[in-house]
């Protein structure tokens, strides 16, 4: 449908904000995102909360419904797995048109009223009802790391990823929409997102890590991203030197992906790396894996790999079940949607899906933000260095709170 005459003078940015305001006013789930390297953001609105609940990861194929996946680290009543159907879509690259799915045509009269309503300067983003997680102190987190290293030494796990939450006050007049735009400008190579769902809350983030991607040319892509050090004048992708601990941490993630391919009896994959890459002000080691879906007899490879990968060893550990049990027993808080995954499925075109691990993110509350960061532990992990690594990672999104 076309924008009404009342909104004819608005540019694409103002129209995005206008449409988001209408969704928030009427209590509808929405997702706003900007893909890596893309110039324009996209907005998706689901017709209702009830239509967004799902019990299974999305199917990554051309016949699957179009929508936006928003999945927690661990599914629970407080943090349900969500798939927001693409009932209403707006692409800032095509500023004059709002697309409404045929199945949602009954909401067009109400949608027309949203678009004609006055623009809100301050958007009232949904706040989740869950209690704020406990923010680990320096002592508590270093003790958690010590327990993780002890579990590795005792051969209870090969690797475990520990994390912590931090609470930061929201500055006066904080604008989530403006913060999204700031992150998109600061991190052009990240997947930047703002997801708001009634009863679940509002999440803002800029993540560098692909979980599962199916491209228009029929390629499946995933990556092993691990190990961290800051970018400095002396330390760049060309000059970075990695410790054995960091090399082994990244290699474990890469081997886990290969083990998933082996479970599916797939041998025709292309591996590139590891190489040093930049993500904001941080450096990581990354290995890319690709499969040409037109040359292998695995039509459901994307869907199958998604179900095998999440939660990856980069956010949980190895073996998966033992690492998850350690996290449940010792981490001391609910990660909610941090280290889950999110992204569009069949939105830009049928058969195209881009799902990312929800890292470098924060959850908005009434007067504060909850930030999250984690580190992968090996037998050589030093508790103080792991604390400092979480401090570095927290700065990615904390910058928009200043």
């Amino acid at each position: 449908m076309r924008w009404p005459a009342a909104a004819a003078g608005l540019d694409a940015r103002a129209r995005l904000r206008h449409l988001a305001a209408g969704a928030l006013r009427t209590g509808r789930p929405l997702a706003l995102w900007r893909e890596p390297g893309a110039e324009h953001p996209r907005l998706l609105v689901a017709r209702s909360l009830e239509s967004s609940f799902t019990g299974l990861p999305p199917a990554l194929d051309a016949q699957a419904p179009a929508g936006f996946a928003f999945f927690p680290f661990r599914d629970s009543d407080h943090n349900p797995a969500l798939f927001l159907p693409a009932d209403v879509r707006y692409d800032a690259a095509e500023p004059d048109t709002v697309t409404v799915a045929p199945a949602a045509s009954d909401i067009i009269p109400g949608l027309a009223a949203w678009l004609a309503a006055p623009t809100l300067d301050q958007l009232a983003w949904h706040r989740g009802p869950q209690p704020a997680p406990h923010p680990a102190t320096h002592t508590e987190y270093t003790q958690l790391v010590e327990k993780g290293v002890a579990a590795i030494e005792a051969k209870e796990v090969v690797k475990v990823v520990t994390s912590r939450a931090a609470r930061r006050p929201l500055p006066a007049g904080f604008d989530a929409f403006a913060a999204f735009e700031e992150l998109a400008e600061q991190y052009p190579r990240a997947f930047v997102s703002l997801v708001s769902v009634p009863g679940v809350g509002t999440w803002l983030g800029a993540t560098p890590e692909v979980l599962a991607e199916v491209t228009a040319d029929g390629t499946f892509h995933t990556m092993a991203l691990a190990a961290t050090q800051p970018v400095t004048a002396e330390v760049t992708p060309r000059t970075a030197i990695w410790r054995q601990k960091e090399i082994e941490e990244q290699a474990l993630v890469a081997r886990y992906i290969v083990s998933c391919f082996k479970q599916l009896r797939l041998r025709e994959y292309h591996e590139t790396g590891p190489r040093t890459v930049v993500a904001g002000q941080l450096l990581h080691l990354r290995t890319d894996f690709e499969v040409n879906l037109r040359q292998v007899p695995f039509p459901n490879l994307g869907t199958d790999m998604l179900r095998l990968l999440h939660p990856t060893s980069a956010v949980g550990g190895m073996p998966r079940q033992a690492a998850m049990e350690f996290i449940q027993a010792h981490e001391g808080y609910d990660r909610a949607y941090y280290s889950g995954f999110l992204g569009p499925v069949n939105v830009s075109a049928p058969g195209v899906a881009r799902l990312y691990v929800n890292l470098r993110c924060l959850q908005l509350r009434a007067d504060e933000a909850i930030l999250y960061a984690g580190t992968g532990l090996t037998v050589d992990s030093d508790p103080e260095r792991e604390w400092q690594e979480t401090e570095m990672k927290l700065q990615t999104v904390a910058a928009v709170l200043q």
Side-chain angles (χ1 to χ4, degrees), residues 111-142:
L111 177 58
W114 299 1
L115 303 183
T119 304
L120 298 179
D121 291 332
Q122 183 68 31
L123 304 188
W125 296 91
H126 299 299
R127 314 299 187 190
Q130 303 93 334
H134 171 70
T137 64
H138 178 277
T139 298
E140 288 171 335
Y141 192 70
T142 53

Side-chain angles (χ1 to χ4, degrees), residues 38-388:
E39 183 177 353
H40 300 287
R42 289 178 170 164
L43 176 69
L44 177 153
V45 179
R47 64 190 304 180
S48 68
L49 178 62
E50 291 74 21
S51 67
S52 302
F53 287 110
T54 181
L56 295 172
L60 306 188
D61 61 65
Q63 288 70 47
F68 191 94
F70 192 56
F71 271 58
F73 174 66
R74 188 194 299 267
D75 197 1
S76 71
D77 291 340
H78 292 298
N79 306 295
L82 299 170
F83 186 77
L84 282 57
D87 293 324
V88 178
R89 285 180 269 182
Y90 181 70
D91 186 341
E94 302 174 1
D96 293 331
T97 304
V98 176
T99 302
V100 180
S105 59
D106 60 307
I107 70 171
I108 289 178
L111 177 58
W114 299 1
L115 303 183
T119 304
L120 298 179
D121 291 332
Q122 183 68 31
L123 304 188
W125 296 91
H126 299 299
R127 314 299 187 190
Q130 303 93 334
H134 171 70
T137 64
H138 178 277
T139 298
E140 288 171 335
Y141 192 70
T142 53
Q143 288 176 346
L144 173 61
V145 172
E146 290 170 355
K147 291 177 183 177
V149 172
I152 296 170
E153 290 175 335
K155 302 190 184 306
E156 297 170 7
V157 292
V158 175
K159 171 191 173 182
V160 67
V161 180
T162 55
S163 73
R164 66 184 179 95
R167 299 168 70 173
R168 300 283 188 273
L170 287 181
F174 178 78
D175 185 332
F177 188 89
F180 167 85
E181 293 181 315
E182 183 178 342
L183 284 176
E185 182 175 351
Q186 287 184 2
Y187 304 109
R189 287 176 286 191
F191 180 80
V192 181
S193 61
L194 180 59
V195 180
S196 190
V197 179
V200 171
T202 296
W203 289 72
L204 175 69
T207 177
E209 185 171 349
V210 171
L211 175 62
E213 179 180 30
V214 179
T215 64
D217 64 358
T219 299
F220 170 81
H221 171 229
T222 188
M223 68 172 62
L225 188 76
T228 303
Q229 60 178 297
V231 177
T232 67
E234 296 77 26
V235 181
T236 69
R238 287 183 174 273
T239 62
I241 298 174
W242 296 96
R243 296 176 297 151
Q244 184 60 37
K245 177 262 178 188
E246 295 157 335
I247 293 170
E248 178 61 20
E249 178 192 347
Q250 197 273 340
L252 286 170
V253 180
R255 287 202 289 270
Y256 178 75
I257 293 174
V258 171
S259 74
C260 291
F261 284 140
K262 288 182 177 179
Q263 288 185 60
L264 299 176
R265 296 183 172 82
L266 173 73
R267 297 181 179 142
E268 301 85 355
Y269 61 86
H270 183 66
E271 180 177 348
T272 306
R275 59 193 176 93
T276 302
V277 296
V278 178
Q281 299 304 310
L282 302 177
L283 297 175
H284 303 289
L285 280 173
R286 169 174 149 182
T287 301
D288 290 276
F289 297 86
E290 292 187 347
V291 178
N292 187 331
L293 298 177
R294 297 171 181 172
Q295 295 180 359
V296 298
F298 296 94
N300 299 318
L301 179 69
T303 303
D304 294 339
M305 282 296 290
L306 174 61
R307 292 172 180 170
L308 289 173
L309 287 171
H310 177 67
T312 73
S313 60
V315 299
M318 295 176 63
R320 179 195 285 186
Q321 187 58 37
M324 294 290 280
E325 289 173 358
F326 177 91
I327 291 168
Q328 181 76 5
H330 300 290
E331 203 164 64
Y333 82 105
D334 187 346
R335 291 188 184 185
Y337 294 89
Y338 164 67
S339 66
F341 67 86
L342 76 171
V345 176
N346 293 345
V347 173
S348 60
V352 175
R354 296 185 174 94
L355 300 175
Y356 296 79
V357 184
N358 195 20
L359 305 174
R360 317 295 187 270
C361 63
L362 61 81
Q363 182 183 15
L364 293 176
R365 298 178 65 82
D367 56 1
E368 67 178 352
I370 310 298
L371 289 72
Y372 302 83
T375 53
L377 308 184
T378 69
V379 71
D380 298 318
S381 290
D382 173 69
E384 181 59 32
R385 292 189 70 145
E386 302 302 335
W387 169 265
Q388 292 302 327

Side-chain angles (χ1 to χ4, degrees), residues 2-12 14-15 18 90 95-97 115-117 119:
R2 305 286 292 181
W3 282 82
L10 301 179
D11 60 16
R15 290 184 177 188
H18 202 96
Y90 181 70
D96 293 331
T97 304
L115 303 183
T119 304

